[in-house]
Amino acid sequence: MPDRHILLASCAALTLLVAACGPREAPIPEVPETITPAADAAEAAGGVTGAVTTVLDAGDGAEVVEATLEAPANPADAVIETPKGPMTVMVVMDSSGSMWGQIDGRSKRDIAREAVRAMVESNPELGSAGLIAYGHRRKGDCKDIELMRSPGANVPLADAVDALVPVGKTPLTAAVETAANALRIEETRATVILVTDGIETCDADPCAAGVSLEQRGIEFTAHVIGFGLSADEGRQVACLAEETGGRYIEASNAGELSEALESVAEAVESGPPEAATATASIDGPESVEIGASFNVSWEGPDAQGDYVDIVPKGHERTSGELSYGYAREGSPATLRAPGEPGDYELRYVWTAPQGRTVLVTRPIEVTEADVALIAAPSIGIGEPLTVDWRGPDNPGDYVDIVPRGHTRTDGEKAYAYTKGNPDTLTVRVPGTPGPYDLRYVAQAADGRTVLKVLPVDVTETSVDLAFNPAVSLGGVLEVDWSGPGTEGDYIDIVPRGYTPRSGEKSYAYTSGGNPLELKLPGEPGKYDVRYVLQSADGRTVLKTVPLTLNDIDFEVKPSTASGVSGETISVAWTGPASDGDYVDIVPRGYAQTSGEKSYTYVKADNPLTIRLPGAPGDYDLRYVFVSSTGRSVKAVRPVRVTPADVTLDVPASVAAGASFQVGWTGPGYANDYVDLVPDGHTRTSGELSYAYTKKGETLTLKAPDDAGAFMVRYILQGPDGRQVVTSQPVRVD
């Protein structure tokens, strides 16, 4: 899933002398240095601006991140405090590509900018917070994390946030770790507030990072705001807050984001809430087979976000559960047994003011089974479903997926044979959401028999497409996407309102990575960018986001309106310089985008140089634009080609087999030559003797051994081939 996150952490504590790193990348030292408070204070007193590079240890669950921390040029930009001072705040702003995603017709980037500005206006003390940004410089780089503003710096926090442009990935966990290290949480009180519109995309574990930060910090808290996240996505980042005693708040639009930031700002000032209490009960079977579905009934507070789960016996964390069901879906909740036999616990988890709290547990045993199917109880449309299985494994046995209640052993939506897939296989689920059954079908002498049925719910998949919604002709559209990403899925560009799942103007398979680059169409107008799912039952358009493609100016300006055959002229051009764009010369009125007489790619330079054709006449100079929909002529200027002035000084007659001299004047282009051919010969090949003009102003040719009438010719080598410019007769005696 693409990603988007904002972090904060309170300002004014400890000797923290770090200023905005600027847009340049940090050098990587061979021996990392550690910034000490004493060194920071000395730099602030003397106005030192030299950069100090440090390696920030990301801790458990996150990669090591290198960042450049510069001393502020102005000592007033630094905040100097004792370790026992007030809480320190750092804003870590998500500027990943997914922030181009739209909510109510506005980009999340713009919504977040306004929300941060409103928070600072209503809570001026937070205006002195520092700023860390990530994903704003390079696409696909999990180490694109930069300290943009030290706490207390002169540049207004909201202005610094406004300057960010979404580009890259979401190193959510490493960004929080970077902020914590910059704030020196082992020495001072600090809070980080994370606002994220996506989950971790850089293979790190925010839950493990939360545990590590809580253990390291003397008084560290992380609050998390899930901006536009689903409940399941929110669970993946909520633990970062809960492990550090912070709050997780959901926000689905601009108003809720502002309210969430305001609530978190109040929490920073007031500290953690008093622990609340509640009671609950839970009931379920004493034992279940591995992989089986079973019901759990419960009574409890039924607060937003409450759930029932199953965990290994003694598991204390409110993350890492094996299966769960939300209380809001009613009692009983349906859970799925794990694939390993053993002792487990059922739990009711309350979303309390102080964070997720286990109210009650009940033991449950998970036992072996002769025939078993172990799979997730629900999965998004089109996704591959991993199935652990046990069974007779006869030749022809298979696991299939069918609509719920389907009893025939044909008409399956998808299937996979057990042979060749020991213990685990993959079945691709349909592209239509709904209730389905996963079945083990045995092939016996008397036909097929269904030995095991496991219910599976195929759900709508969270899909998002984030990109700049208004771009100009030329180049590519960078699309940050989230979705199934299964084999055959693709993102395309089609005219606005186009519904067929073929005939697209441009496309790229999701297997190409994230973000994807789509070459833009060649005509301005209104388009749609779509996510197309390739599932077991065909293609389905899962998401459509509008794109406006604006026109741009195209122009070609030759340095002269006319030139001599084969001459090189310069041409100034205006255009997007997309890959493959070129300027060419064609006969006057020629409309095709092939068969040109001369061309030069615009990537070469501006102005560029191009050779005129060798044949005199009227021509068109054109800018040819290359897009996903092919080549198109975007600008035309007339140009005239005049004959080259060429003379030949040839003797009237020469002796058979003798060498003789020929004088010439003319352009003398590379590969021009003078040749000797029989009288009436018209081809520019088959010559009897020749010499290149680059040999000098006087050339030597050799007469044939047979007497007769011959011609000496000047051959101009132009971009459109060889041209006979002039000829003189010679008699061989």
Side-chain angles (χ1 to χ4, degrees):
M1 173 89 186
D3 19 283
R4 324 86 169 152
H5 342 302
I6 305 172
L7 313 164
L8 307 171
S10 270
C11 94
L14 116 116
T15 310
L16 180 63
L17 191 55
V18 287
C21 295
R24 57 197 173 282
E25 296 184 25
I28 301 176
E30 293 186 7
V31 181
E33 298 181 56
T34 301
I35 300 177
T36 63
D40 290 342
E43 285 186 355
V48 178
T49 60
V52 179
T53 303
T54 182
V55 173
L56 306 179
D57 183 3
D60 293 341
E63 59 185 324
V64 171
V65 175
E66 292 178 320
T68 295
L69 308 180
E70 289 188 1
N74 184 348
D77 289 346
V79 177
I80 309 299
E81 305 183 76
T82 66
K84 296 182 179 180
M87 189 72 71
T88 307
V89 176
M90 181 77 75
V91 176
V92 183
M93 173 64 70
D94 176 10
S95 194
S96 61
S98 58
M99 291 295 286
W100 284 118
Q102 305 279 302
I103 293 181
D104 298 330
R106 299 178 60 215
S107 71
K108 295 180 213 176
R109 176 196 68 163
D110 292 341
I111 294 172
R113 286 174 171 179
E114 291 184 6
V116 170
R117 189 171 292 277
M119 178 195 68
V120 172
E121 289 176 353
S122 58
N123 300 273
E125 65 283 357
L126 290 181
S128 59
L131 173 65
I132 284 178
Y134 61 86
H136 61 294
R137 297 175 297 182
R138 300 180 296 274
K139 61 183 180 181
D141 186 353
C142 286
K143 293 186 178 181
D144 184 10
I145 301 171
E146 184 180 18
L147 178 64
M148 302 293 294
R149 178 187 187 275
S150 59
N154 290 332
V155 177
L157 173 63
D159 290 352
V161 170
D162 286 350
L164 300 174
V165 178
V167 174
K169 293 181 74 68
T170 305
L172 157 61
T173 305
V176 176
E177 290 278 359
T178 301
N181 286 326
L183 294 171
R184 293 201 174 88
I185 62 173
E186 296 89 349
E187 304 170 18
T188 190
R189 303 170 61 235
T191 295
V192 169
I193 304 169
L194 165 64
V195 181
T196 173
D197 78 334
I199 58 176
E200 171 68 48
T201 63
C202 288
D203 300 322
D205 184 353
C207 296
V211 173
S212 174
L213 291 172
E214 177 66 15
Q215 293 172 347
R216 287 172 49 200
I218 62 170
E219 189 176 331
F220 176 77
T221 305
H223 300 288
V224 179
I225 299 173
F227 185 24
L229 298 185
S230 67
D232 289 336
E233 291 167 341
R235 292 173 59 80
Q236 299 182 48
V237 295
C239 57
L240 181 58
E242 292 163 352
E243 296 291 356
T244 61
R247 297 181 60 194
Y248 174 73
I249 305 175
E250 293 182 0
S252 59
N253 53 44
E256 291 180 2
L257 178 60
S258 293
E259 292 175 4
L261 282 171
E262 186 65 28
S263 297
V264 169
E266 293 174 359
V268 171
E269 295 179 4
S270 60
E274 293 184 5
T277 60
T279 60
S281 64
I282 191 169
D283 190 25
E286 293 184 357
S287 66
V288 292
E289 291 185 350
I290 57 172
S293 295
F294 63 97
N295 289 333
V296 177
S297 58
W298 55 267
E299 292 182 358
D302 196 12
Q304 179 71 20
D306 286 11
Y307 59 92
V308 175
D309 68 10
I310 182 171
V311 297
K313 183 178 180 180
H315 186 88
E316 296 181 352
R317 293 170 54 191
T318 55
S319 61
E321 60 281 332
L322 302 173
S323 178
Y324 64 91
Y326 286 109
R328 65 169 181 264
E329 296 172 353
S331 179
T334 300
L335 302 185
R336 180 69 49 84
E340 292 294 329
D343 293 328
Y344 294 83
E345 289 179 339
L346 302 175
R347 310 186 304 181
Y348 185 102
V349 182
W350 175 38
T351 307
Q354 67 270 20
R356 291 190 291 205
T357 304
V358 177
L359 294 183
V360 64
T361 65
R362 175 188 174 89
I364 184 172
E365 182 184 8
V366 177
T367 62
E368 285 281 10
D370 292 332
V371 178
L373 296 173
I374 302 168
S378 65
I379 189 170
I381 54 176
E383 295 185 21
L385 178 65
T386 299
V387 182
D388 293 332
W389 62 271
R390 296 183 188 179
D393 194 19
N394 299 319
D397 285 9
Y398 61 89
V399 173
D400 68 7
I401 187 166
V402 296
R404 180 74 51 83
H406 185 89
T407 58
R408 300 196 316 271
T409 54
D410 61 1
E412 61 281 332
K413 296 296 184 181
Y415 67 93
Y417 288 108
T418 60
K419 285 295 182 186
N421 294 293
D423 301 328
T424 301
L425 52 78
T426 300
V427 178
R428 192 162 188 180
V429 303
T432 303
Y436 291 84
D437 286 333
L438 189 70
R439 310 185 305 179
Y440 188 107
V441 182
Q443 179 71 59
D446 54 349
R448 299 172 183 152
T449 303
V450 177
L451 298 186
K452 194 75 173 181
V453 178
L454 188 67
V456 172
D457 290 325
V458 176
T459 63
E460 294 282 3
T461 297
S462 176
V463 177
D464 198 11
L465 300 172
F467 52 87
N468 192 338
V471 296
S472 298
L473 286 178
V476 297
L477 179 70
E478 187 173 288
V479 180
D480 196 298
W481 60 271
S482 63
T486 50
E487 183 179 358
D489 288 8
Y490 60 90
I491 295 169
D492 67 10
I493 300 177
V494 297
R496 181 72 52 82
Y498 187 84
T499 57
R501 293 174 293 278
S502 61
E504 57 282 329
K505 299 297 183 182
S506 179
Y507 72 94
Y509 288 107
T510 57
S511 59
N514 196 0
L516 283 177
E517 290 185 348
L518 278 71
K519 198 169 182 69
L520 291 166
E523 295 298 327
K526 304 294 185 181
Y527 292 87
D528 287 331
V529 179
R530 311 184 303 181
Y531 188 109
V532 183
L533 168 76
Q534 179 68 59
S535 67
D537 50 355
R539 296 175 182 160
T540 305
V541 177
L542 299 186
K543 183 80 173 183
T544 300
V545 179
L547 168 70
T548 299
L549 187 53
N550 298 315
D551 205 355
I552 62 173
D553 292 332
F554 289 87
E555 192 170 14
V556 285
K557 291 183 178 180
S559 57
T560 179
S562 65
V564 176
S565 296
E567 179 183 1
T568 297
I569 64 171
S570 65
V571 179
W573 54 269
T574 301
S578 302
D579 285 343
D581 287 9
Y582 59 92
V583 171
D584 70 5
I585 299 177
V586 297
R588 180 70 49 81
Y590 188 83
Q592 297 181 44
T593 54
S594 61
E596 59 281 332
K597 299 299 182 180
S598 180
Y599 70 94
T600 301
Y601 289 107
V602 298
K603 290 287 188 185
D605 213 341
N606 195 0
L608 53 77
T609 58
I610 189 169
R611 282 193 73 194
L612 297 176
D618 290 327
Y619 292 87
D620 285 333
L621 186 71
R622 312 184 304 180
Y623 187 111
V624 181
F625 173 49
V626 180
S627 68
S628 68
T629 50
R631 301 172 182 157
S632 56
V633 177
K634 291 296 188 179
V636 180
R637 279 290 185 97
V639 63
R640 172 164 290 180
V641 176
T642 59
D645 185 12
V646 176
T647 65
L648 291 172
D649 184 9
V650 181
S653 63
V654 296
S659 295
F660 62 97
Q661 303 296 309
V662 175
W664 66 271
T665 63
Y669 300 132
N671 297 321
D672 284 9
Y673 61 91
V674 173
D675 68 4
L676 176 68
V677 296
D679 188 24
H681 186 89
T682 58
R683 301 195 317 272
T684 55
S685 61
E687 59 280 332
L688 302 173
S689 178
Y690 70 94
Y692 286 107
T693 58
K694 62 187 176 184
K695 296 288 189 179
E697 295 179 356
T698 301
L699 305 174
T700 300
L701 299 181
K702 189 175 185 300
D705 293 335
D706 296 327
F710 295 87
M711 292 188 300
V712 175
R713 308 182 304 179
Y714 185 105
I715 308 298
L716 184 149
Q717 180 70 59
D720 51 341
R722 300 168 182 155
Q723 304 289 331
V724 179
V725 179
T726 189
S727 63
Q728 291 292 329
V730 61
R731 175 93 185 160
V732 176
D733 296 327

